[in-house]
Amino acid sequence: MGEFKVHRVRFFNYVPSGIRCVAYNNQSNRLAVSRTDGTVEIYNLSANYFQEKFFPGHESRATEALCWAKGQRLFSAGLNGEIIEYDLQALNIKYAMDAFGGPIWSMAASPSGSQLLVGCEDGSVKLFQITPGKIQFERNFDRQKRSAIHKMLVDRQYMGVSKRKCIIWGVAFLSDGTVISVDSAGKVQFWDSATGTLVKNHLIANADVQSIAVSDQEDSFVVGTAEGTVFHFQLVSVTSNSSEKQWVRTKPFQHHTHDVRAVAHSPTALISGGTDTHLVIRPLMEKVEVKNYDAALRKITFPHRRLISCSKKKQLLLFQFAHHLELWQLGSTVATGKNGDTLPLSKDADHLLHLKTKGPENIICSCISPCGSWIAYSTASRFFLYRLSYERDNISLQRVSKMPAFLRSALQILFSEDSAKLFVASNQGSLHIIRLLEGSFKHLHTFQPQSGTVESMCLLAVSPDGNWLAASGTSAGVHVYNVKNLKLHCTVPAYNFPVTALAIAPSTNNLVIAHSDQQVFEYSIPDKQYTEWSRTIQKQGFHHLWLQRDTPITHISFHLKRPMHILLHDAYMFCIIDKSLPLPNDKTLLYNPLPPKNESDVIRRRTAHAFKISKIYKPLLFMDLLDERTLVAVERPLDDIIAQLPPPIKKKKFGT
Amino acid sequence: MVEQERVRVVRCGGSELNFRRAVFSADSKYGATRRCRPGRGWSLPGAAGKNCQARRDSLGGGSWLGKGCMRAPPGTRDGAGVCVLCEEGDTPQARGTAPWGARPLPRLSPAGRLRGPGGRAHVSRIGWALGRLEDGPGVDVYATAVALPRGPSFFRTESYIFCVSGDFVKVYSTATEECVHILQGHRNLVTGIQLNPNNHLQLYSCSFDGTIKLWDYVDGILIKTFIVGHKLHALFTVARAEDSVFVTINKEKPDIFQLVSVKLPKSSSQEIESKELSFVLDYINQSPKYIAFGNEGEYVAAVRDFYLSVYFFKKKTTSRFTLSSSRNKKHAKNNFTCVACHPKEDCIATGHKDGKIRLWRNFDDDKKYTYTCLHWHHDMVMDLAFSVTGTSLLSGGRESVLVEWRDAAEKNKEFLPRLGATIEHISVSPAGDLFCTSHSDNKIIVIHRNLEASAVIQGLVKDSNIFTGLMIDPRTKALVLNGKPGHLQFYSLQSDKQLYNLDIVQQEYINDYGLIQIELTKAAFGCYGNWLATVEQRQEKETELELQMKLWMYNKKTQGFVLNTKVNMPHEDHITALCFCNAEKSENPTLVTASKDGHFKVWILTDDSDIYKKAVGWTCDFVGSYHKYQATNCCFSEDGSLLAVSFEEIVTIWDSETWELKCTFCQRAGKIRHLCFGRLTCSKYLLGATENGILCCWNLLSCALEWSAKLNVRVMEPDLNSENIAAISHSSMGSDLFVFKPSEPRPLYIQKNISREEVQWGVFVPRDVPESFTSEAYQWLNRSQFYFLTKSQSLLTLSTKSPEEKLTPTSKQLLAEESLPTTPFYFILGKHRQQQDEKLNAALENELVQLPLTENIPAISELLHTPAHVLPSASFLCSMFVNSLLLSKESKSAEEIPDDVDMEEEKERDDSDEENDFTEKVQDTDNTDLGEDIIHQLSKSEEKELRKFRKVDYSWITAL
């Protein structure tokens, strides 16, 4: 194993933006989540809740409504008055269409999925027909004055004071004619749509009830309140031998600290998200057949991709934010100490650069070259490349202009180990190779996607010798290209679960692939087959605790001097897989704390297994080897995120 | 009467005895005559020699702990009287020989029982009945107050509340809060009561004695007894199962209980064996709170630890639900504490230790079950009850707040706060108009549907510690002791009710575990109930003592005590004793406090600084000490002339006028624990009991030890009405009662083993109506009753009456009045009928001459209320009776009338006075069973009647 000096970085001030809408698609078991900065993320619930796609945000496109329609087509509408359809394959916006009704506040698809209704600021409701390629305006329902069939008036009572207006935040229309409304007075009300009368009233919160979602069977629904509580309502029979049923509030869940802005109800779980930026997936125990990995509560806070890149030579870290990049020089120390000691810094970490993007678009990806003299980033419409030059303490930045036309946007950017080549995965599914020269560049080659597929590549890995490039999309297998010959070398057989991280080992050129179901494969590129170790571990199977981790592996790296080691991490642990040691079986202890000091070597060797796991640093956003004996770990404590959020609704806590 | 006959001995010289003044009173009724010997003190004629003899006896190693032992034979709880059994092979005669042993016994009945010829004495129990008096001698245990295994249970018309207390079931009226019946018949603790679901005039009860009894509670009659054989822990009835009930029994292991259904066979006989048990549920909790039947008996829910088990009778299946986080330490407090079932829906409510209430639904499906949480209580939920319609759920716990959850919604709840003590049980009346909560302080509160407390049935408040001891309020004759925290309770022994609470500490009580509260430690009444002194203390650390003495004056207008003087830190250390000078002559109320700081202080009432001199207050008058010893006890002599203060082992006698130290007594037998002066004829004696188990009696005239006895005295109480002093000793065997006169070293009465536990306090309560035990042994009970309180806070007394006899006649009348429920029909029909009646009456009035109301004629009422066998012959009375029914002659002369009326009135007044006397005497004689006096007395009244009779005007006859 060896000991490492660890740079424990906590100055990455990343704050995810709050969740605004959540939409669940039953057909593909996918969840679309839109955030307040306009980002739309797609989670694959079948693949261990992996965030497989995302659409970058845009300052003017505040999403207010999100819905799936016509199978797996995703629409969103927002305050700029546009209805947007997303292209889930090419990962870009298919089209945006103005509804001409001012800001759009709500949107719903008809049960058949062929029609789309939007509610606009001017009070009109507009009906759109969904055509195969586009949507088409069909009707406009203006504000009704007289001809409304029923007017259901909610009482304005707001905790005894009727000063404030009562706002209906959400309604649900059940097939039996029941209308459920949630409002700002904390009420959940059941109405009979035939008569327009109030049937039942549940006062559940002192603050607003902001969201409601009904299950497909219409036997349960979920509401979210501004106090951060999610309530589950169920339709239960009054007595076991009668057919009469009633809606009963069953379980409250308090997983949020702030407003629950959006809820969704999947067949097996309640999904909620809100201002506190967590996406919480609470499985319903009675719906889960076996107690397994799926039955556990999930809280997704951080994106399942890297926001940090690192220049090993210059010890630089590049942090990616929504609208800017930060470049930091790591601190250094001359002191030495024992295991567990905190070493004093002789030189503090230095904030070298703050690079703001131009335009309203969010940054999709960014990268710093290993030599530290190049920075590249991309937004949805533009690609930027900068050359950095260091003169003692000064740093000068020079933009490389005249980017070629095809380099409009990138999903992933990667520099080769010698910083001479730049690999860009564009959202058309093509891979560009660019040779970097002093102050300029030269386009070398473009690997076009295979005919018929439009799937974009999201992950790239290059071998340290620069010969091999591996690229992976969201679902298909990993393609390995030979950079020298500029040819597709081979394709790793497709696996059911999406790839979360890729890396090619030095010297052996083994490709290590981590999947969202926590499997790790090792594929020998020269041999075009899985390595012996990979076959062994597949035969024996991973430890059950390893498979039960709930965050995907986001980064894989290697130790230059120890070819048998694979370094990888997820948000809650850092692991070194020592391929020379025996694999653990289900009976052995997976999470071994620090190795015992005073035990004899024999026992240590007997209990030792291939997985060396450290859980000291969490939540861990990035971890990499700087050199043989130095690690850098970037943490983002949750308390720091909460401290930057607006204060939650004050609640009296008993005993305080 | 007694007062007039007292011989008062005032001042008997005797300077060598250090007496300056002595006041004693004698009661001629008891035949002790006293004579003053001028110039030489005084003594009882012929007493000296006897005393000396006794003293020698006692010093010669005599002990009160004789071999004799009185014990109740098991199962004799029929109230037959004192049962004295000799030990096997020991003859009663043999036991009478020891001077301090048991007295020679009169006769031993063949059954081995002794029945006192005149009166019967048995220990009767007054307090809460949580523990049981296991085998007191000749005891008949009854408990007045409320200890309810399953809370009170209601009658359909909501007229009655039933509650279990000890071996009895008490029937209370909800309207008047009176106890109307005591259902007695069980021979062990009653554990469950349920109304017969098929006949709401009947009540089932089950007991540890293995029987289920069916009662007609309206008349208080036992209908049937079903003998089950097992120890029954709880009882449940279900309307659907007509001929069977459910009981909890434990079969093998002590901790494992089973719910079984018992078939009750139909039979005409009184006692029926019903051994047909069928098993329902295993591994349940014994308390009935942990079991509930739902949906008209379709299923039964039982909880224990972390499990909820539901048994469905139709499907014959059991579902078991475990709280998932039960193993988790963080949630270790979610044990189930109680369960209730919704009356209409399939919904089970369970209470938990962490204060949560869970509402379970869909529990017929092991997988799809779901529950809702309601959380308001911060401590354990003690009981839950659904309202009759199921729209609201009631819950209660240690917060002493009744919470009503409406529509099972968390936000929709109502509170009834400040109920005083932990809610132990909640019960809902069958019609749903009333709720009822029972509390840990021995109280039942009847609450209206709109959450307003309508009636409180308060027994003796149970407090964790009784510091003040038992006192008698001289005005109300109520028993006074620590009540609610920081309160004094006034408890009427006659009506077995709390009269009122006096808030002494006057601070909000915060119910929190581990909080050190202000404790009311001492209280004393003085000056015939005009003054009350209380001491409260709070000690958080060793050095931080907060002490406060308060003096309360009785206000005649408000009929209550008003705070007069508050003294902060009256002493430097704990106050150990407090006593008023209760002498009749003393012009100034005087109070003495003794403290551990080595001082005793005398407080007197003085004019305050008020310019009108109207306000009075208490100030310290004198501070006394003795060699820096801790003052442990203080006591005034009966006439108030002497004050005895004990300083650890030494007793000092002080003159109460000059506060001079007169003499000291020291026996070197340990610290003095109790100190009291003798009374009446024995007022020359001072008694002290030490910690080393020596009881000493000093003669104040000779300043010498009169006698001493080896007795580990825990309680020593003088009787205010006689010379008797009661002492209760404690040993590992139990507590023994000794009654003695200070003048005689031989005890008057010994009752061994009155209680197995230690007796902490005792008091003599003067009787309103003297009893007349002719037996020598019980004569000490004639004028006072002795009450004592054991460590587990059972208030016990020696009494003769059975509980049923104790019921006042008024409460029985109540029973008769409450015949019909006031239904809406009653209001419609009843009004109609009333109107009809009125009409009829009006018509009658027109037609007939109104007859005189018979009730108002004293002659008739007297005639009707006098027992037949004491009346003169019918022929003699006939004319008088007829005469009284006749209309008096219309007055002819207007002048005569006023005089006549006056005279009549006067006479009537006389009559009425005498009537009162008369009835009193009748009662007297009834009790004495002595026939001779009655005739004599009745003839007196008869004479009165006759006198009146003669005065009646017969002139109307001539007019005919």
Side-chain angles (χ1 to χ4, degrees), chain A residues 234 238 240 246 249-250 286, chain B residues 345-346 361 367 370 372:
Chain A
Q234 278 176 290
V238 172
S240 56
Q246 63 175 353
R249 181 182 74 77
T250 53
E286 70 268 19
Chain B
E345 297 168 12
D346 277 359
R361 289 173 204 270
K367 207 150 192 105
T370 177
T372 316

Side-chain angles (χ1 to χ4, degrees), chain B residues 889-919:
Chain B
K889 196 192 77 177
E890 282 185 80
S891 56
K892 279 169 186 169
S893 53
E895 310 92 53
E896 272 180 46
I897 296 163
D899 287 343
D900 241 341
V901 170
D902 272 353
M903 269 172 64
E904 290 272 320
E905 272 178 3
E906 264 178 31
K907 267 179 239 147
E908 262 177 22
R909 211 178 298 137
D910 274 351
D911 282 350
S912 63
D913 280 348
E914 278 174 8
E915 262 166 48
N916 287 344
D917 249 349
F918 164 63
T919 45

Side-chain angles (χ1 to χ4, degrees), chain B residues 849-852 882-890 953 956:
Chain B
V849 183
Q850 201 179 4
L851 289 167
V882 169
N883 179 51
S884 64
L885 288 176
L886 289 174
L887 292 174
S888 58
K889 196 192 77 177
E890 282 185 80
D953 196 355
W956 58 279

